[in-house]
Amino acid sequence: MGRAVRLAACALNQWALDFEGNAGRILKSIEIAKGKGARYRLGPELEICGYGCSDHYYESDTLLHSFQVLAKLLESPVTQDIICDVGMPVMHKNVRYNCRVIFLNKKILLIRPKISLANAGNYRELRWFTPWSKARHVEEYFLPRIIQEVTGQDTVPFGDAVLATKDTCLGTEICEELWAPNSPHIEMGLDGVEIFTNSSGSHHVLRKAHTRVDLVNSATAKNGGIYILANQKGCDGDRLYYDGCAMISMNGETIAQGSQFSLDDVEVLVATLDLEDVRSYRAEISSRNLAASKVNPYPRIKVNFALSCSDDVAVPVCMPIQWRHHSPEEEICLGPACWLWDYLRRSKQAGFLLPLSGGIDSSATACIVYSMCHQVCLAVKNGNAEVLADTRKIVHDETYVPEDPREFCKRIFTTCYMASENSSQDTCNRAKLLAEQIGSYHINLNIDAAVKAIVGIFSMVTGRTPCFSVYGGSSRENLALQNVQARVRMVLSYLFAQLTLWTRGMPGGLLVLGSANVDESLRGYLTKYDCSSADINPIGGISKTDLKNFIQYCIENFQLTALRSIMAAPPTAELEPLVDGQVSQTDEADMGMTYAELSIYGKLRKIAKAGPYSMFCKLINMWKEICTPREVASKVKHFFRMYSVNRHKMTTLTPSYHAENYSPDDNRFDLRPFLYNTSWSWQFRCIDKQVSDLEKKEEISVVKDVED
């Protein structure tokens, strides 16, 4: 009868400007889709060049190489007899657009430019592209000669149109357009489009996946139809991790779900769906049908091709499934681990080095590396040839097969406990035990000689010797002595990263991992150019609260019993002298605020876009049961003083995995000054006035109660 359509959505681990690798992964996905019987294949946004090209989009080379790849795709026998939908930048009339190029049997059917560009948070598409503003309008696009020679076409349609095949009608959305309040699928659905496609470059944030799933399902719940979403996956060379999650939905229900975290470079999701289910679903929505009778029609590109077979009565169709969401702890375990794997294999380094202090943050980082080792061993066990090949390159052994995560960890992961006279035996023991349980190559060393040498140089030059405050030194002396220890650790980290494998008779160097969490970065509770100045940081976008929950998850799922004592210990930098052999310094006392408070400040500052006064106004209600307005004012002022004093540290912050929407990352996500007037005189005066007014009202209320 010609109503069962078979469609494919892909999740590809593309890499910015890796045209050779990107083309190979696209062709492989098309081959898999065809092998599974699909008649239409959708890939992720800008998949030909890679999404994260940034200012390389300005270069004519990026456009040229994208068209060269497109020519290769058009010529390939693999792309015949299947509608292929690929993403690339296209310049039309000297304007650069983010486009879908849809082709069939060496003929381009339509070039569809993006209408709504992503321009918030991590996205800057308006910097490089222009949105297509001509709704339901199509123009002629003159093809470059390298494409004309393949297709025999001089011009092709360019603009906002839909495809009309022999059996159905398809309409395109590109990433942000799904999230826009006036999504194209609404009008397209009213105009009879039955299949909506969305090619995305959507990155992972903790607890975000349900939003994307809900948007897709709601798109077809109110209007009927089939919605297929393809997404980039992996790390394409930046702070973001694209989490795949390709999906296919129909009439408000999920039909097929792709993996969110996977080491597979190519994942193809295929489903068979009945077009009559769409038509019968729409039939009884009278409000939709009334609106459809008045809709302004889309230009239709006629395609002499069907997505179904003429005799498909016996073809089984896919049934709805329940979406399986990962917990935040699972997301932390899997997302940063996959991100680290991409960085390791693509940087061609031989592993990681982590300064392991025995605290929660560095231990969480170690657990993420251990999780990565688990993922690698599992992928190899499941027959992933690419992961096996990458593993052998990393360990420089063409016969190696990773089977035991601990054994693999030993080869590629070095942990280093760098003790000083201010370090406790407890943290040393915790670090050593955790290293034993995950299998890392562990080093114990003492930095006192280096610290004394540096302070000695200062004393020799100036004739003055600084002291810790417990020995009568000033706060400046105390801080300087802490910073020397922290910075010596950075220097030693890089020295050991470069030479540790050399001492073991092994080739290659190591990437240095940082372990400052998002809350500490926001507050500036770190030393500029200390161990936080690493190559990459897998936990830099994760809150202390979430890291604690992740540690508990690792205790239960990896049986890492060493983490129990780490969880129980109060967080401390161990940079000040011990008192009776015990740690006297704790992070929260040093910061003057708790980690729980820091998370709240961060969300209000970034997500709620609250300055000092607005933050105060929100918190007097949030904390009215535990704090007076004056206490709230004091806390808010202290946070903004510390934030602004330390903001300059964000300019040198190690690139970290983006996991929270209140990240203070200065690179592009949180664009703010790094030199402030830290007195905040006007803002704090407004807070003080409000506190005074509230206290007067309280006094008047008390007096009235007494009089009554």
Side-chain angles (χ1 to χ4, degrees):
M1 293 177 65
R3 64 188 200 180
V5 294
R6 193 151 174 83
L7 311 168
C10 304
L12 305 184
N13 194 335
Q14 303 299 74
W15 191 7
L17 302 177
D18 178 25
F19 292 97
E20 191 78 36
N22 293 347
R25 286 181 283 271
I26 292 169
L27 282 170
K28 183 177 179 181
S29 71
I30 296 170
E31 186 176 19
I32 293 171
K34 280 183 67 177
K36 292 184 175 181
R39 306 273 284 174
Y40 174 91
R41 175 268 181 201
L42 177 72
E45 187 174 11
L46 293 166
E47 60 189 306
I48 285 180
C49 57
Y51 184 83
C53 294
S54 298
D55 281 1
H56 287 289
Y57 286 123
Y58 290 136
E59 299 168 3
S60 61
D61 281 13
T62 304
L63 296 168
L64 168 65
H65 299 323
S66 294
F67 272 113
Q68 289 171 335
V69 171
L70 178 62
K72 181 179 179 179
L73 297 176
L74 286 162
E75 290 175 325
S76 173
V78 171
T79 63
Q80 306 309 300
D81 299 319
I82 181 172
I83 295 178
C84 298
D85 190 333
V86 300
M88 60 179 277
V90 177
M91 183 175 284
H92 175 55
K93 296 181 179 178
N94 299 119
V95 179
R96 191 179 292 98
Y97 296 97
N98 175 349
C99 294
R100 302 305 299 173
V101 179
I102 308 171
F103 61 90
L104 170 67
N105 294 335
K106 295 188 179 181
K107 299 291 183 184
I108 294 176
L109 305 173
L110 171 68
I111 300 178
R112 201 285 202 170
K114 193 170 183 178
I115 295 168
S116 299
L117 299 185
N119 207 56
N122 287 291
Y123 297 100
R124 294 287 180 274
E125 288 181 9
L126 278 172
R127 180 179 174 95
W128 310 297
F129 301 112
T130 299
W132 182 255
S133 57
K134 302 173 184 178
R136 298 173 178 82
H137 177 74
V138 173
E139 298 177 354
E140 278 191 318
Y141 176 77
F142 288 81
L143 292 169
R145 279 177 292 180
I146 58 171
I147 303 300
Q148 290 181 25
E149 291 168 0
V150 178
T151 67
Q153 299 166 291
D154 295 326
T155 64
V156 295
F158 185 103
D160 186 19
V162 298
L163 299 181
T165 65
K166 288 182 175 182
D167 48 0
T168 187
C169 188
L170 295 90
T172 298
E173 287 189 328
I174 305 176
C175 199
E176 180 72 10
E177 293 168 12
L178 170 64
W179 304 73
N182 57 340
S183 295
H185 68 256
I186 300 169
E187 291 287 303
M188 287 193 296
L190 294 176
D191 192 33
V193 172
E194 295 177 327
I195 301 172
F196 310 103
T197 69
N198 187 300
S199 52
S200 281
S202 183
H203 68 283
H204 172 241
V205 174
L206 292 176
R207 305 172 180 87
K208 172 188 170 184
H210 72 277
T211 305
R212 191 190 302 144
V213 174
D214 290 347
L215 281 169
V216 169
N217 285 336
S218 65
T220 58
K222 59 189 175 185
N223 203 0
I226 297 166
Y227 203 108
I228 64 175
L229 182 141
N231 194 22
Q232 164 87 357
K233 69 188 300 189
C235 170
D236 71 349
D238 206 343
R239 290 155 170 78
L240 304 182
Y241 177 79
Y242 302 92
D243 58 343
C245 274
M247 67 175 293
I248 299 174
S249 169
M250 184 173 71
N251 298 341
E253 295 184 294
T254 301
I255 302 297
Q257 172 187 355
S259 63
Q260 186 174 13
F261 307 107
S262 165
L263 299 187
D264 295 335
D265 281 351
V266 176
E267 183 180 359
V268 181
L269 196 66
V270 176
T272 303
L273 304 112
D274 191 339
L275 293 172
E276 288 301 318
D277 288 339
V278 174
R279 294 158 188 166
S280 59
Y281 183 89
R282 286 178 170 178
E284 63 179 3
I285 309 175
S286 59
S287 59
R288 178 221 167 257
N289 298 335
L290 286 170
S293 66
K294 297 178 283 187
V295 74
N296 184 16
Y298 278 79
R300 273 169 160 74
I301 309 297
K302 294 181 180 179
V303 184
N304 187 25
F305 188 76
L307 300 184
S308 60
C309 300
S310 57
D311 183 15
D312 59 3
V313 175
V315 173
V317 295
C318 299
M319 302 305 292
I321 62 170
Q322 187 68 39
W323 188 277
R324 197 275 187 193
H325 286 286
H326 290 285
S327 69
E329 294 75 31
E330 288 175 320
E331 291 185 280
I332 294 170
C333 185
L334 298 171
C338 294
W339 183 78
L340 283 180
W341 176 247
D342 278 348
Y343 256 101
L344 178 58
R345 67 193 181 109
R346 288 174 171 170
S347 67
K348 295 182 169 56
Q349 296 301 298
F352 301 111
L353 181 137
L354 172 69
L356 185 60
S357 68
I360 285 176
D361 294 335
S362 62
S363 298
T365 303
C367 289
I368 288 170
V369 177
Y370 185 56
S371 172
M372 184 201 81
C373 294
H374 267 271
Q375 298 308 308
V376 168
C377 292
L378 182 61
V380 170
K381 182 180 178 181
N382 292 335
N384 190 316
E386 289 91 352
V387 172
L388 178 59
D390 286 332
T391 303
R392 288 173 170 173
K393 288 176 185 175
I394 290 167
V395 302
H396 298 276
D397 183 348
E398 289 303 314
T399 63
Y400 178 67
V401 178
E403 297 175 338
D404 177 17
R406 293 186 74 255
E407 186 275 333
F408 182 47
C409 199
K410 188 77 155 185
R411 287 177 177 254
I412 59 99
F413 190 33
T414 297
T415 50
C416 183
Y417 182 82
M418 292 183 269
S420 76
E421 60 186 13
N422 302 321
S423 303
S424 67
Q425 189 60 45
D426 287 342
T427 53
C428 178
N429 293 340
R430 291 179 203 130
K432 182 181 178 182
L433 183 57
L434 178 60
E436 288 174 357
Q437 291 186 357
I438 65 175
S440 66
Y441 180 82
H442 191 62
I443 298 170
N444 270 318
L445 61 87
N446 192 289
I447 67 171
D448 286 337
V451 172
K452 287 173 182 175
I454 292 172
V455 175
I457 293 171
F458 177 84
S459 300
M460 182 175 63
V461 172
T462 65
R464 302 284 301 276
T465 300
C467 297
F468 283 105
S469 56
V470 295
Y471 303 137
S474 66
S475 59
R476 279 192 294 174
E477 295 170 68
N478 196 65
L479 183 59
L481 289 173
Q482 291 185 64
N483 288 346
V484 167
Q485 298 169 74
R487 288 173 176 142
V488 162
R489 287 182 171 128
M490 181 200 73
V491 174
L492 288 172
S493 295
Y494 277 96
L495 178 64
F496 276 82
Q498 289 173 315
L499 295 178
T500 294
L501 295 182
W502 170 72
T503 66
R504 297 167 63 188
M506 300 165 65
L510 305 173
L511 289 167
V512 179
L513 296 182
S515 54
N517 64 61
V518 71
D519 297 327
E520 289 171 344
S521 299
L522 174 65
R523 163 61 172 73
Y525 187 64
L526 54 95
T527 302
K528 204 172 186 179
Y529 304 117
D530 69 348
C531 285
S532 61
S533 298
D535 292 314
I536 50 175
N537 179 2
I539 69 163
I542 305 174
S543 72
K544 192 80 162 188
T545 302
D546 282 334
L547 288 173
K548 287 181 178 178
N549 293 336
F550 168 61
I551 290 288
Q552 185 61 44
Y553 172 89
C554 291
I555 294 172
E556 296 168 4
N557 289 271
F558 293 144
Q559 288 76 51
L560 300 176
T561 55
L563 295 172
R564 291 199 180 103
S565 59
I566 291 169
M567 274 278 284
T572 174
E574 289 196 330
L575 294 172
E576 295 188 35
L578 302 174
V579 176
D580 297 327
Q582 299 298 313
V583 172
S584 61
Q585 176 191 38
T586 62
D587 291 348
E588 292 186 332
D590 269 9
M591 292 191 300
M593 58 192 76
T594 66
Y595 282 106
E597 289 172 342
L598 257 176
S599 290
I600 294 171
Y601 296 146
K603 289 170 183 173
L604 289 175
R605 181 199 69 99
K606 177 65 179 175
I607 299 173
K609 301 167 183 65
Y613 180 73
S614 293
M615 187 179 291
F616 165 77
C617 292
K618 291 178 182 295
L619 287 175
I620 56 174
N621 289 309
M622 288 176 61
W623 290 348
K624 62 185 177 182
E625 302 298 330
I626 56 174
C627 293
T628 66
R630 187 167 294 277
E631 290 170 335
V632 172
S634 177
K635 287 176 179 288
V636 169
K637 289 179 184 179
H638 180 58
F639 165 71
F640 272 98
R641 284 194 195 99
M642 294 301 99
Y643 156 76
S644 57
V645 164
N646 291 298
R647 178 66 187 180
H648 64 95
K649 296 177 183 178
M650 296 304 97
T651 64
T652 61
L653 197 67
T654 296
S656 60
Y657 181 97
H658 179 88
E660 280 286 2
N661 281 328
Y662 69 91
S663 167
D665 171 32
D666 181 66
N667 172 258
R668 67 178 181 184
F669 181 72
D670 188 34
L671 304 180
R672 296 167 195 256
F674 59 87
L675 179 62
Y676 282 92
N677 180 342
T678 58
S679 68
W680 300 87
S681 55
W682 188 282
Q683 294 93 327
F684 288 0
R685 195 158 55 244
C686 289
I687 292 175
D688 291 339
K689 183 180 182 303
Q690 190 64 57
V691 170
S692 179
D693 291 346
L694 288 169
E695 288 178 342
K696 285 178 183 176
K697 287 180 182 178
E698 182 66 23
E699 288 173 7
I700 292 170
S701 176
V702 170
V703 169
K704 282 186 176 180
D705 288 344
V706 171
E707 291 176 348
D708 291 344

